[in-house]
Amino acid sequence: QVQLVESGGGLVQAGGSLRVSCVASGSGFSINAMGWYRQAPGKQRELIARIRSGGSTYYADSVKGRFTISRDNANNTVYLQMDSLKPEDTGVYYCNAEIEISDYVYSYWGQGTQVTVSS
């Protein structure tokens, strides 16, 4: 059984910074990619950043230059450093992992962590 546990959300003023983390626990798996999705109030969940096992990254245009995704492969952990936060960054941030178990690939989700940016 694989579990993703996020931490690090909270309330911050516009212009501030936050870092959220996600740890994948379990055994017998390898991680192909990890990413962060955001769901703002009344909106669909959207991919904002992803990092593959080789280190290649993707960022949504809305966060480019402000957010940085990084990964600790040894500890199955992904981080999202969020700088120059804006009120429109408010939402629930979900960790997602593309996990391979016995040649099958599965998508796992964390429980989400709330990020609120006040103006």
Side-chain angles (χ1 to χ4, degrees), residues 32-63:
N32 294 341
M34 298 186 81
W36 289 94
Y37 286 70
R38 175 174 69 202
Q39 188 162 20
K43 294 188 176 181
Q44 289 188 330
R45 194 176 298 187
E46 60 172 343
L47 174 65
I48 57 170
R50 174 181 285 162
I51 185 166
R52 295 212 166 268
S53 57
S56 61
T57 57
Y58 162 85
Y59 294 96
D61 288 343
S62 59
V63 306

mmCIF file of all heavy atoms in Angstrom, residues 32-63:
data_model
loop_
_atom_site.group_PDB
_atom_site.id
_atom_site.type_symbol
_atom_site.label_atom_id
_atom_site.label_comp_id
_atom_site.label_asym_id
_atom_site.label_seq_id
_atom_site.Cartn_x
_atom_site.Cartn_y
_atom_site.Cartn_z
ATOM 1 N N ASN A 32 7.786 7.209 -10.890
ATOM 2 C CA ASN A 32 8.156 7.765 -12.193
ATOM 3 C C ASN A 32 8.123 9.286 -12.178
ATOM 4 O O ASN A 32 8.981 9.943 -12.767
ATOM 5 C CB ASN A 32 7.216 7.243 -13.276
ATOM 6 C CG ASN A 32 7.368 5.752 -13.493
ATOM 7 O OD1 ASN A 32 8.375 5.149 -13.124
ATOM 8 N ND2 ASN A 32 6.350 5.134 -14.084
ATOM 9 N N ALA A 33 7.108 9.825 -11.548
ATOM 10 C CA ALA A 33 6.954 11.281 -11.518
ATOM 11 C C ALA A 33 6.154 11.674 -10.287
ATOM 12 O O ALA A 33 5.329 10.891 -9.794
ATOM 13 C CB ALA A 33 6.245 11.782 -12.772
ATOM 14 N N MET A 34 6.406 12.874 -9.805
ATOM 15 C CA MET A 34 5.614 13.449 -8.710
ATOM 16 C C MET A 34 5.246 14.865 -9.093
ATOM 17 O O MET A 34 6.019 15.553 -9.782
ATOM 18 C CB MET A 34 6.383 13.434 -7.396
ATOM 19 C CG MET A 34 6.733 12.043 -6.916
ATOM 20 S SD MET A 34 7.502 12.009 -5.282
ATOM 21 C CE MET A 34 6.045 12.125 -4.222
ATOM 22 N N GLY A 35 4.074 15.266 -8.667
ATOM 23 C CA GLY A 35 3.637 16.595 -9.043
ATOM 24 C C GLY A 35 2.686 17.197 -8.043
ATOM 25 O O GLY A 35 2.271 16.543 -7.082
ATOM 26 N N TRP A 36 2.378 18.458 -8.286
ATOM 27 C CA TRP A 36 1.444 19.194 -7.436
ATOM 28 C C TRP A 36 0.307 19.746 -8.301
ATOM 29 O O TRP A 36 0.555 20.328 -9.365
ATOM 30 C CB TRP A 36 2.155 20.352 -6.741
ATOM 31 C CG TRP A 36 3.108 19.896 -5.685
ATOM 32 C CD1 TRP A 36 4.440 19.672 -5.819
ATOM 33 C CD2 TRP A 36 2.776 19.593 -4.326
ATOM 34 N NE1 TRP A 36 4.968 19.252 -4.630
ATOM 35 C CE2 TRP A 36 3.968 19.191 -3.684
ATOM 36 C CE3 TRP A 36 1.595 19.633 -3.574
ATOM 37 C CZ2 TRP A 36 4.016 18.829 -2.345
ATOM 38 C CZ3 TRP A 36 1.640 19.266 -2.245
ATOM 39 C CH2 TRP A 36 2.850 18.870 -1.644
ATOM 40 N N TYR A 37 -0.891 19.537 -7.794
ATOM 41 C CA TYR A 37 -2.095 20.084 -8.402
ATOM 42 C C TYR A 37 -2.694 21.085 -7.427
ATOM 43 O O TYR A 37 -2.517 20.972 -6.212
ATOM 44 C CB TYR A 37 -3.114 18.990 -8.686
ATOM 45 C CG TYR A 37 -2.772 18.094 -9.854
ATOM 46 C CD1 TYR A 37 -1.712 17.183 -9.784
ATOM 47 C CD2 TYR A 37 -3.521 18.119 -11.029
ATOM 48 C CE1 TYR A 37 -1.408 16.355 -10.852
ATOM 49 C CE2 TYR A 37 -3.240 17.292 -12.095
ATOM 50 C CZ TYR A 37 -2.173 16.413 -12.001
ATOM 51 O OH TYR A 37 -1.875 15.586 -13.068
ATOM 52 N N ARG A 38 -3.428 22.023 -7.983
ATOM 53 C CA ARG A 38 -4.105 23.014 -7.149
ATOM 54 C C ARG A 38 -5.578 23.069 -7.533
ATOM 55 O O ARG A 38 -5.923 23.063 -8.724
ATOM 56 C CB ARG A 38 -3.480 24.402 -7.361
ATOM 57 C CG ARG A 38 -4.164 25.527 -6.637
ATOM 58 C CD ARG A 38 -3.380 26.815 -6.787
ATOM 59 N NE ARG A 38 -3.407 27.330 -8.157
ATOM 60 C CZ ARG A 38 -2.489 28.167 -8.632
ATOM 61 N NH1 ARG A 38 -1.469 28.550 -7.880
ATOM 62 N NH2 ARG A 38 -2.581 28.611 -9.875
ATOM 63 N N GLN A 39 -6.414 23.129 -6.509
ATOM 64 C CA GLN A 39 -7.844 23.317 -6.735
ATOM 65 C C GLN A 39 -8.298 24.556 -5.996
ATOM 66 O O GLN A 39 -8.367 24.558 -4.763
ATOM 67 C CB GLN A 39 -8.649 22.099 -6.296
ATOM 68 C CG GLN A 39 -10.118 22.182 -6.702
ATOM 69 C CD GLN A 39 -10.805 20.839 -6.668
ATOM 70 O OE1 GLN A 39 -10.357 19.903 -6.015
ATOM 71 N NE2 GLN A 39 -11.918 20.723 -7.394
ATOM 72 N N ALA A 40 -8.575 25.587 -6.767
ATOM 73 C CA ALA A 40 -9.065 26.832 -6.186
ATOM 74 C C ALA A 40 -10.570 26.719 -5.967
ATOM 75 O O ALA A 40 -11.240 25.898 -6.614
ATOM 76 C CB ALA A 40 -8.743 27.988 -7.130
ATOM 77 N N PRO A 41 -11.118 27.524 -5.066
ATOM 78 C CA PRO A 41 -12.556 27.468 -4.809
ATOM 79 C C PRO A 41 -13.382 27.638 -6.086
ATOM 80 O O PRO A 41 -13.168 28.590 -6.842
ATOM 81 C CB PRO A 41 -12.784 28.638 -3.848
ATOM 82 C CG PRO A 41 -11.475 28.833 -3.177
ATOM 83 C CD PRO A 41 -10.434 28.507 -4.210
ATOM 84 N N GLY A 42 -14.279 26.703 -6.340
ATOM 85 C CA GLY A 42 -15.147 26.782 -7.501
ATOM 86 C C GLY A 42 -14.495 26.448 -8.822
ATOM 87 O O GLY A 42 -15.113 26.628 -9.881
ATOM 88 N N LYS A 43 -13.259 25.952 -8.779
ATOM 89 C CA LYS A 43 -12.557 25.655 -10.032
ATOM 90 C C LYS A 43 -12.113 24.197 -10.069
ATOM 91 O O LYS A 43 -12.094 23.517 -9.048
ATOM 92 C CB LYS A 43 -11.350 26.576 -10.193
ATOM 93 C CG LYS A 43 -11.710 28.042 -10.370
ATOM 94 C CD LYS A 43 -10.501 28.861 -10.725
ATOM 95 C CE LYS A 43 -10.888 30.313 -10.986
ATOM 96 N NZ LYS A 43 -9.703 31.140 -11.364
ATOM 97 N N GLN A 44 -11.741 23.749 -11.255
ATOM 98 C CA GLN A 44 -11.248 22.389 -11.402
ATOM 99 C C GLN A 44 -9.814 22.287 -10.898
ATOM 100 O O GLN A 44 -9.080 23.275 -10.888
ATOM 101 C CB GLN A 44 -11.321 21.975 -12.876
ATOM 102 C CG GLN A 44 -12.729 21.758 -13.392
ATOM 103 C CD GLN A 44 -12.735 21.153 -14.790
ATOM 104 O OE1 GLN A 44 -11.825 21.373 -15.576
ATOM 105 N NE2 GLN A 44 -13.764 20.372 -15.087
ATOM 106 N N ARG A 45 -9.457 21.093 -10.538
ATOM 107 C CA ARG A 45 -8.084 20.828 -10.132
ATOM 108 C C ARG A 45 -7.173 20.954 -11.348
ATOM 109 O O ARG A 45 -7.487 20.436 -12.429
ATOM 110 C CB ARG A 45 -7.986 19.408 -9.542
ATOM 111 C CG ARG A 45 -6.728 19.126 -8.783
ATOM 112 C CD ARG A 45 -6.776 17.734 -8.148
ATOM 113 N NE ARG A 45 -7.855 17.601 -7.185
ATOM 114 C CZ ARG A 45 -7.996 16.516 -6.409
ATOM 115 N NH1 ARG A 45 -7.142 15.513 -6.496
ATOM 116 N NH2 ARG A 45 -9.006 16.446 -5.561
ATOM 117 N N GLU A 46 -6.034 21.635 -11.175
ATOM 118 C CA GLU A 46 -5.127 21.847 -12.294
ATOM 119 C C GLU A 46 -3.699 21.488 -11.896
ATOM 120 O O GLU A 46 -3.279 21.711 -10.758
ATOM 121 C CB GLU A 46 -5.163 23.318 -12.749
ATOM 122 C CG GLU A 46 -4.764 24.311 -11.680
ATOM 123 C CD GLU A 46 -4.614 25.732 -12.177
ATOM 124 O OE1 GLU A 46 -4.498 25.941 -13.404
ATOM 125 O OE2 GLU A 46 -4.591 26.647 -11.334
ATOM 126 N N LEU A 47 -2.951 20.971 -12.858
ATOM 127 C CA LEU A 47 -1.547 20.655 -12.650
ATOM 128 C C LEU A 47 -0.748 21.948 -12.659
ATOM 129 O O LEU A 47 -0.851 22.741 -13.595
ATOM 130 C CB LEU A 47 -1.041 19.731 -13.754
ATOM 131 C CG LEU A 47 0.450 19.417 -13.743
ATOM 132 C CD1 LEU A 47 0.834 18.636 -12.492
ATOM 133 C CD2 LEU A 47 0.841 18.651 -15.001
ATOM 134 N N ILE A 48 0.068 22.152 -11.638
ATOM 135 C CA ILE A 48 0.883 23.359 -11.608
ATOM 136 C C ILE A 48 2.373 23.069 -11.711
ATOM 137 O O ILE A 48 3.131 23.902 -12.199
ATOM 138 C CB ILE A 48 0.591 24.236 -10.368
ATOM 139 C CG1 ILE A 48 0.792 23.459 -9.075
ATOM 140 C CG2 ILE A 48 -0.822 24.795 -10.432
ATOM 141 C CD1 ILE A 48 0.747 24.351 -7.851
ATOM 142 N N ALA A 49 2.802 21.891 -11.274
ATOM 143 C CA ALA A 49 4.220 21.555 -11.378
ATOM 144 C C ALA A 49 4.388 20.047 -11.294
ATOM 145 O O ALA A 49 3.647 19.372 -10.573
ATOM 146 C CB ALA A 49 5.032 22.228 -10.275
ATOM 147 N N ARG A 50 5.389 19.543 -12.038
ATOM 148 C CA ARG A 50 5.661 18.111 -12.022
ATOM 149 C C ARG A 50 7.154 17.902 -12.234
ATOM 150 O O ARG A 50 7.802 18.675 -12.951
ATOM 151 C CB ARG A 50 4.881 17.404 -13.129
ATOM 152 C CG ARG A 50 5.218 15.913 -13.271
ATOM 153 C CD ARG A 50 4.440 15.269 -14.392
ATOM 154 N NE ARG A 50 3.054 15.059 -13.993
ATOM 155 C CZ ARG A 50 2.074 14.836 -14.860
ATOM 156 N NH1 ARG A 50 2.308 14.843 -16.155
ATOM 157 N NH2 ARG A 50 0.855 14.630 -14.425
ATOM 158 N N ILE A 51 7.678 16.861 -11.611
ATOM 159 C CA ILE A 51 9.079 16.516 -11.797
ATOM 160 C C ILE A 51 9.188 15.017 -12.025
ATOM 161 O O ILE A 51 8.582 14.215 -11.305
ATOM 162 C CB ILE A 51 9.940 16.972 -10.586
ATOM 163 C CG1 ILE A 51 11.422 16.708 -10.850
ATOM 164 C CG2 ILE A 51 9.495 16.329 -9.280
ATOM 165 C CD1 ILE A 51 12.341 17.435 -9.867
ATOM 166 N N ARG A 52 9.934 14.643 -13.036
ATOM 167 C CA ARG A 52 10.112 13.231 -13.370
ATOM 168 C C ARG A 52 11.343 12.686 -12.643
ATOM 169 O O ARG A 52 12.167 13.447 -12.137
ATOM 170 C CB ARG A 52 10.231 13.056 -14.879
ATOM 171 C CG ARG A 52 8.950 13.451 -15.597
ATOM 172 C CD ARG A 52 8.709 12.641 -16.859
ATOM 173 N NE ARG A 52 7.350 12.799 -17.324
ATOM 174 C CZ ARG A 52 6.336 11.987 -16.966
ATOM 175 N NH1 ARG A 52 6.557 10.974 -16.154
ATOM 176 N NH2 ARG A 52 5.131 12.191 -17.425
ATOM 177 N N SER A 53 11.473 11.371 -12.653
ATOM 178 C CA SER A 53 12.575 10.740 -11.912
ATOM 179 C C SER A 53 13.929 11.199 -12.439
ATOM 180 O O SER A 53 14.889 11.283 -11.680
ATOM 181 C CB SER A 53 12.463 9.218 -11.996
ATOM 182 O OG SER A 53 12.466 8.798 -13.351
ATOM 183 N N GLY A 54 14.008 11.541 -13.709
ATOM 184 C CA GLY A 54 15.269 12.011 -14.276
ATOM 185 C C GLY A 54 15.560 13.469 -13.985
ATOM 186 O O GLY A 54 16.656 13.955 -14.289
ATOM 187 N N GLY A 55 14.573 14.161 -13.413
ATOM 188 C CA GLY A 55 14.781 15.550 -13.029
ATOM 189 C C GLY A 55 14.123 16.585 -13.911
ATOM 190 O O GLY A 55 14.121 17.772 -13.584
ATOM 191 N N SER A 56 13.542 16.168 -15.024
ATOM 192 C CA SER A 56 12.892 17.149 -15.884
ATOM 193 C C SER A 56 11.642 17.682 -15.200
ATOM 194 O O SER A 56 10.957 16.965 -14.466
ATOM 195 C CB SER A 56 12.531 16.537 -17.236
ATOM 196 O OG SER A 56 11.631 15.466 -17.069
ATOM 197 N N THR A 57 11.360 18.953 -15.433
ATOM 198 C CA THR A 57 10.261 19.616 -14.737
ATOM 199 C C THR A 57 9.287 20.260 -15.714
ATOM 200 O O THR A 57 9.616 20.564 -16.867
ATOM 201 C CB THR A 57 10.782 20.697 -13.780
ATOM 202 O OG1 THR A 57 11.573 21.637 -14.527
ATOM 203 C CG2 THR A 57 11.624 20.094 -12.670
ATOM 204 N N TYR A 58 8.084 20.445 -15.207
ATOM 205 C CA TYR A 58 7.038 21.167 -15.925
ATOM 206 C C TYR A 58 6.404 22.147 -14.950
ATOM 207 O O TYR A 58 6.196 21.820 -13.775
ATOM 208 C CB TYR A 58 5.964 20.202 -16.445
ATOM 209 C CG TYR A 58 4.672 20.904 -16.790
ATOM 210 C CD1 TYR A 58 4.488 21.493 -18.029
ATOM 211 C CD2 TYR A 58 3.651 21.014 -15.839
ATOM 212 C CE1 TYR A 58 3.313 22.160 -18.327
ATOM 213 C CE2 TYR A 58 2.478 21.691 -16.129
ATOM 214 C CZ TYR A 58 2.314 22.260 -17.380
ATOM 215 O OH TYR A 58 1.161 22.929 -17.669
ATOM 216 N N TYR A 59 6.100 23.345 -15.451
ATOM 217 C CA TYR A 59 5.389 24.339 -14.650
ATOM 218 C C TYR A 59 4.249 24.929 -15.471
ATOM 219 O O TYR A 59 4.418 25.203 -16.667
ATOM 220 C CB TYR A 59 6.315 25.481 -14.234
ATOM 221 C CG TYR A 59 7.421 25.082 -13.293
ATOM 222 C CD1 TYR A 59 8.694 24.785 -13.770
ATOM 223 C CD2 TYR A 59 7.202 25.003 -11.921
ATOM 224 C CE1 TYR A 59 9.709 24.408 -12.912
ATOM 225 C CE2 TYR A 59 8.212 24.628 -11.055
ATOM 226 C CZ TYR A 59 9.460 24.334 -11.558
ATOM 227 O OH TYR A 59 10.472 23.969 -10.701
ATOM 228 N N ALA A 60 3.133 25.140 -14.824
ATOM 229 C CA ALA A 60 2.059 25.886 -15.458
ATOM 230 C C ALA A 60 2.500 27.336 -15.622
ATOM 231 O O ALA A 60 3.296 27.850 -14.823
ATOM 232 C CB ALA A 60 0.794 25.814 -14.606
ATOM 233 N N ASP A 61 1.985 27.973 -16.653
ATOM 234 C CA ASP A 61 2.382 29.361 -16.917
ATOM 235 C C ASP A 61 2.112 30.269 -15.720
ATOM 236 O O ASP A 61 2.860 31.213 -15.456
ATOM 237 C CB ASP A 61 1.633 29.891 -18.149
ATOM 238 C CG ASP A 61 2.143 29.284 -19.436
ATOM 239 O OD1 ASP A 61 3.255 28.714 -19.435
ATOM 240 O OD2 ASP A 61 1.428 29.372 -20.455
ATOM 241 N N SER A 62 1.054 29.963 -14.989
ATOM 242 C CA SER A 62 0.646 30.834 -13.880
ATOM 243 C C SER A 62 1.651 30.852 -12.737
ATOM 244 O O SER A 62 1.629 31.761 -11.898
ATOM 245 C CB SER A 62 -0.722 30.407 -13.353
ATOM 246 O OG SER A 62 -0.684 29.058 -12.911
ATOM 247 N N VAL A 63 2.546 29.852 -12.664
ATOM 248 C CA VAL A 63 3.485 29.780 -11.543
ATOM 249 C C VAL A 63 4.942 29.842 -11.981
ATOM 250 O O VAL A 63 5.840 29.879 -11.140
ATOM 251 C CB VAL A 63 3.257 28.512 -10.691
ATOM 252 C CG1 VAL A 63 1.800 28.427 -10.232
ATOM 253 C CG2 VAL A 63 3.672 27.260 -11.439
#
